[in-house]
Amino acid sequence: MTSIIDDSRPIFVQIAQRIEEDIIAGSLLEETQVPSTNQFASLYQINPATAAKGVNLLVDQGILYKKRGIGMFVAEGARQRLVENRKEQFYEQYVVAMIQEANKLGITAEQLADMIRRGDA
Amino acid sequence: MNAMTGIFKIHLKYKNYWFTLPWCILLLNFSINWTIGYFFEEEFYTGGLSSIYVYIFIMGTILLHQTFPFAIGLSIRRTDYYWGTAAISVIVTLLSSILLMPLSIIETKFTEGWGVSLHYFNLPYLSDGSILEQMWISFVLLLFFFYLGFVTASVHRRYGKIGLLLLSVAAFLASSLGIFLMSYYKWWGSLFTSMADLSAFQIASWTFPITLILAGISYLLLRRSTV
Amino acid sequence: MQSAVAVSNLTKTYGKVAAVSEVSFTMEPNKIYGLLGRNGAGKTTIMHMITAQLFPTSGELRVFGEAPYENANVLSQICFIKEGQKYPDLFRISDVLDVAGGCFKNWDNEYAYSLVEEFRLPLKRRMKKLSRGMLSSVGIIIGLASRAPLTLFDEPYLGLDAVARSLFYNRLIEDYAEHPRTIVLSTHLIDEVSQLLEHVMVIDKGRLILNEESEMLRGRALTVIGSAAAVESFAAGKEMIEREAFGSLMKSTVMGGIDEDEIRRARALGLETTAVSLQQLIVHLTNGNSERGAVRL
């Protein structure tokens, strides 16, 4: 079956993340409609209630909002807020881990900065 | 939607087995007997008509086995299955007995034994009495044989092969004991004299309460049957 | 809200053998339930009792608030598709669908026939001439097209290939989304259906050992591999549902309190970590070498 969903976390979290990704990447623009929960359900072959839970998670965070009788829409400023959150997570997940590993290998902050510049080029 | 719709639909699929097939068998049997009668100089009596009674007995046994698990599987109530089947069996036996009647009249009144002195549908003793009495005889006998088969299948459904086996053993022992007692007390003679006084109509009528008892037993068995 | 199914202390014994013992649960309306467990665990027996095809030895049983036995009101709302369903020998697929159409009040004939096309079934072939997979497809079509408020599928896809199974999952999800109803899926092919299930019940040796929302089960167990000492230290205070030692290495599956911090802690201890699928979790819970009662999470 579709392996887009992995076993390590609840599916609704993964659905919410997928929508976030699409908003950050710009494939879901602000003030546009997101697919319905039933569409998500058939797309990923998941239970519609689970898809709804993922969407509602984003509604609770103000990323999506509901237009009565029409469906779910991306809120204004949603992308900006998601990017901010992501930067925070980026620091925790990547930078902190990188510095830990660098310390283990005896890489100095200067050398690390060099490496980043080289990687970016 | 009526609760009976499902069970009637099942039985309608069996219309050939309820009707066409037994009458084809009867027709085939009749034509064989007619051919024999054609070459036979004298009056020819045959019990070929019994094929329809044998058929309805077999129908009673097979029908339950074929349709009950399917009906229960489609969420049909046991009660609805039972009454739906009862209704169909009464309709079919009634129609068959009505159809047999004119054949008996043609045989005796119009064709002198189908032109070959064949006694097939009209038999001495069995076909005594009025037209209505004759129809009643074939109706109750057909119904009796149907329920005899149906109750046998119900025992099998409810208690499995072992139940059916025990029932046959019990029936065998009971009849052996009955025959023994009849012989021991020399009752056979008086039985036959009293039987001889009874008409076919009276004897056939006696099967009717027995049929009702068999039908009641199969109802109780099916209510507790599983699939 | 009125529950779809409510059983308490449901028991079925054959002589001295208990096929189902003291099972209690409720099923809420309009959810998809997974009734999981090994073959012979008692799943089929439970479903036979819910649908009044089999009689409980003891216990309480309510379907839509009423006892189902000979209850037209309840039975008319149930569709039970079972693996060993018998069909009359002379019936063709079209006959079976016709009769089924007369039994279920929400039956959608057009939908049934569109599914016949999709599953590529020979409408005029007799039931006894069908292959195992075709028989399964007929059952699936009846189960979907009946749109019964309580629909139970018992191992519905024996003999079906991956394409047909996938078709079943797709149609089930679509039709369920449009016509919500209570669906019970009984199977041992757990990985294939785990994403469809809203709630999971695991039956083992006639007992209910797990009754949980399936989302709650995801990520609740973790398999770690590494040095025995590190594994032991990580597993301390958790329930170990599997352990295997290879020399100084150890593989263990633990449950309880697993979150991202714990996964990070495991990695810091030098352990390799793998997520545990629902199927693996249930295999561990029902593999017979542990005499556990209800599972604690």
Side-chain angles (χ1 to χ4, degrees), chain B residues 95-115:
Chain B
L95 278 177
S96 301
S97 50
I98 290 171
L99 266 175
L100 284 171
M101 197 55 235
L103 293 171
S104 167
I105 295 172
I106 293 169
E107 183 173 300
T108 48
K109 300 272 185 333
F110 299 103
T111 60
E112 289 182 5
W114 310 97

Side-chain angles (χ1 to χ4, degrees), chain A residues 27-94:
Chain A
S27 49
L28 265 179
L29 296 172
E30 288 174 10
E31 297 300 334
T32 59
Q33 191 172 0
V34 298
S36 71
T37 52
N38 288 351
Q39 284 169 326
F40 276 121
S42 359
L43 189 60
Y44 297 114
Q45 286 199 329
I46 58 170
N47 190 296
T50 312
K53 211 171 159 190
V55 170
N56 287 334
L57 188 69
L58 296 179
V59 173
D60 291 345
Q61 294 171 5
I63 302 295
L64 302 180
Y65 71 97
K66 188 175 188 172
K67 273 192 192 169
R68 265 182 177 277
I70 307 177
M72 294 294 178
F73 285 75
V74 181
E76 210 184 311
R79 183 171 184 277
Q80 186 58 33
R81 288 177 43 210
L82 286 174
V83 169
E84 289 302 322
N85 282 346
R86 274 300 171 87
K87 282 182 182 166
E88 197 62 30
Q89 282 173 16
F90 176 78
Y91 176 77
E92 279 169 18
Q93 275 180 12
Y94 297 95

